Amino acid sequence: MTMPRWTISIDAGGTFTDAIARSSNGDIREAKVASTPQDPSLGLRNAVAALEDQGVKLSDAHLVCHGTTVATNATLTGSLARAALVTTAGFRDVLGYRQQNRPDVYSLTPRRPAELVPRDLRLEVEERLDSGGRVLTPVDHARLDEVIERLRAAEPEAIAVSFLFSYLNDAHEREVGERLREAFPGIPVTLSSEVAREFREYPRAATTAINAALRPIVEAYLSRAGAALAASGIGSQLLVMQSNGGCVPAERAGADAHRLVLSGPAGGVAGLRALAESLEEPNLISLDMGGTSTDVCLLRDATIPFTTVQEVQDHTLLAPTVDIHTIGAGGGSIAWIDQAGSLKVGPASAKAVPGPACYGRGGVEPTISDAHVVLGTLGSGELAGGLVIDRDLAVAAVNRIAEPLGMTAEEGAEAILAIGLAHMVRAVRKVSVERGLDAREFSLVPFGGAGPLHVGLILKHLALKNAIIPVRPGLFAADGLLVAGLKLDHSQTLLFEADPERIPEIARWFSEAAAEAAEQLAQDGIAADMVEFTATVDCRYRGQGFELNIPLPGWSADELARIPEFFHAAHHERYGHSNAAEPVEIVTVRLTSTGTIERGVEHVEPVAPRELASEAVLAEREVLLPGFGRTNTPLLDRARLPAGTEFTGPAIIQQMDATSVILPGQRVRVASTLDLIVTEPIRDEASR
């Protein structure tokens, strides 16, 4: 008898670490354990141990995918390694001048953004290239020797090298990088030409510095994570989710640490695309709500949106990234009263430790989770990871803001929830209505531990098509890691007009980048027929300061010749006008290479409607539902809701990883994939 092989995906969040194991014979095992912020690798080990307790033979695991917040947290909190920057003489202050933007234009005392590298650790080397990449001044080796001695005295934890115009010619960076790596064999050295072959000095220097400062942290964590998995009996390859929605082998992830800043949220977006395919619903809006924040992403025509530039803690980061809008509203977001006596919610969070007051782990500040406990939408014994909810502690916490405002605990809880809901509604509108899209054409997909708690309220306040609650909403991001596949990104700034004579040069770059990517993916174990390429180009009209990213159908001569045509159309769609007579400048060419990991995708099949079975009703509880008052609400066991089941709210649907709240009158249908389709009655009747 052939033993089943397992694939394991693990998403380490701020409060919980989620894990899913899928076997080759179709079995699925799930685990949700408390995260360990002091050392996330411990949470990783606890998660695989929980899977092992459910019968997963860890030695039969042939692939492990991991989403991590280590790079995210280090960047957001400023807990970066101490890095030095080696740059072209005269340009040490690029990181200080930045792009000369002033976020607080009218402030008399503007806040100065934090510096990635202290000025005394920015060292200059005499060398110079011109704007075409030609050598003007060779590397001054005597000056380089002085820099090396100063670095020895400074003892940085990482070194970044960013020279002028090195995106066109990296010879000087490679020369200096080789010397630095010989002189400092135990310190990671990052070259800008290795992480961002793109123009604009500050973004490229900042990207290089962030990558350098993250490498010691990320590489140390991945080493511990690999050791934890090995100690558990797992000897398979470890893949790590990147910000671009694809994975990379852990042994290479550390060198590109800046690409992991949105590692965790990207897994959920990858799962969102798989859901769009299985339900044949191409237009989706995700609402990934965890303990600290909520991430919102819009899929149009089943296409994941990407951006080539991130803004992280006042710094610009050049890295292809899933376009996610994040707000500081999670289950652990703290409610507080400002100096004017107004109630606020977030962005500060109770985090994993101590967490919301209702967890009984020392937290005293009122949070969104505490508000749900006071209202009754969350009851005792309903959270994973061994957490037992204490309503008395939640009431005491909510009273900290309710009493000063002259409210009861329940009124305070409703107020907290109303403000938190306003943040969520605004975030959904930000990615839809404010971009000129009709929200009625989109379905909301709430996931994360706290997302489904708010599905009914959001449907009530937004004119959406419907909502789709995934089978495992609390584990959705973890499950999405496996469908993402491996992904490599190549880019190169060119900066020339779209001239037919340049087409062979552009085609040659795409062909060489594709060949390099295919070779790398083959080494990673991806068959050639499982690799897909996506070509895009950044273009602008001559004289414009910024560019549009234009997708290309391919890079044949005929397809590349149509770049101006594609750009004019995209410019008209975005800005409402275009000028076919204006020369188009090609700024940067990009190639994304994706190696697909096979995993079956279920599709919706017609199922006969059936009534709600009595055995699915666990109990009934009086709940204070905002807008409806005290309501006797049935508690349903999601595991006992077979395909085809239809019923009308109110209802609280319980499962291991999440709780879903359905408001009175809202209709629920269980699809053949066991996803829940929730419809607001007014919208449902209007569509008939």
Side-chain angles (χ1 to χ4, degrees), residues 188-275:
V189 176
T190 299
L191 309 183
S192 75
S193 54
E194 293 176 342
V195 297
R197 297 189 71 98
E198 300 182 31
F199 78 145
R200 296 195 174 103
E201 286 309 302
Y202 168 69
R204 184 162 55 86
T207 300
T208 309
I210 290 174
N211 183 77
L214 281 174
R215 283 184 64 176
I217 298 166
V218 171
E219 288 174 350
Y221 168 68
L222 292 178
S223 176
R224 294 195 304 273
L229 293 176
S232 300
I234 297 177
S236 67
Q237 184 182 36
L238 173 63
L239 302 181
V240 182
M241 173 59 74
Q242 304 172 98
S243 304
N244 64 5
C247 295
V248 64
E251 56 268 22
R252 294 209 311 275
D256 285 326
H258 69 291
R259 296 181 183 272
L260 306 185
V261 171
L262 283 182
S263 171
V269 177
L272 193 68
R273 183 178 180 182
L275 185 71

Side-chain angles (χ1 to χ4, degrees), residues 431-505:
V431 302
S432 56
V433 177
E434 293 184 19
R435 295 182 181 180
L437 302 175
D438 188 346
R440 293 171 297 182
E441 298 176 358
F442 291 83
S443 299
L444 182 74
V445 182
F447 57 91
L453 273 171
H454 305 91
V455 62
L457 289 169
I458 294 176
L459 269 183
K460 179 184 175 184
H461 286 82
L462 274 175
L464 294 160
K465 179 181 179 181
N466 55 34
I468 302 168
I469 306 176
V471 178
R472 303 171 189 85
L475 302 170
F476 189 78
D479 207 17
L481 297 172
L482 282 177
V483 301
L486 276 70
K487 186 172 287 189
L488 303 175
D489 291 300
H490 290 77
S491 63
Q492 175 67 61
T493 292
L494 299 178
L495 281 177
F496 51 63
E497 287 189 9
D499 189 304
E501 294 181 359
R502 294 284 196 169
I503 288 177
E505 181 180 347

Side-chain angles (χ1 to χ4, degrees), residues 510-543:
F510 276 118
S511 297
E512 291 175 354
E516 180 182 337
E519 181 180 355
Q520 181 62 71
L521 290 171
Q523 294 175 10
D524 295 334
I526 303 296
D529 60 349
M530 300 296 288
V531 178
E532 297 180 356
F533 299 105
T534 303
T536 66
V537 58
D538 294 353
C539 295
R540 65 187 181 187
Y541 288 123
R542 185 172 55 190

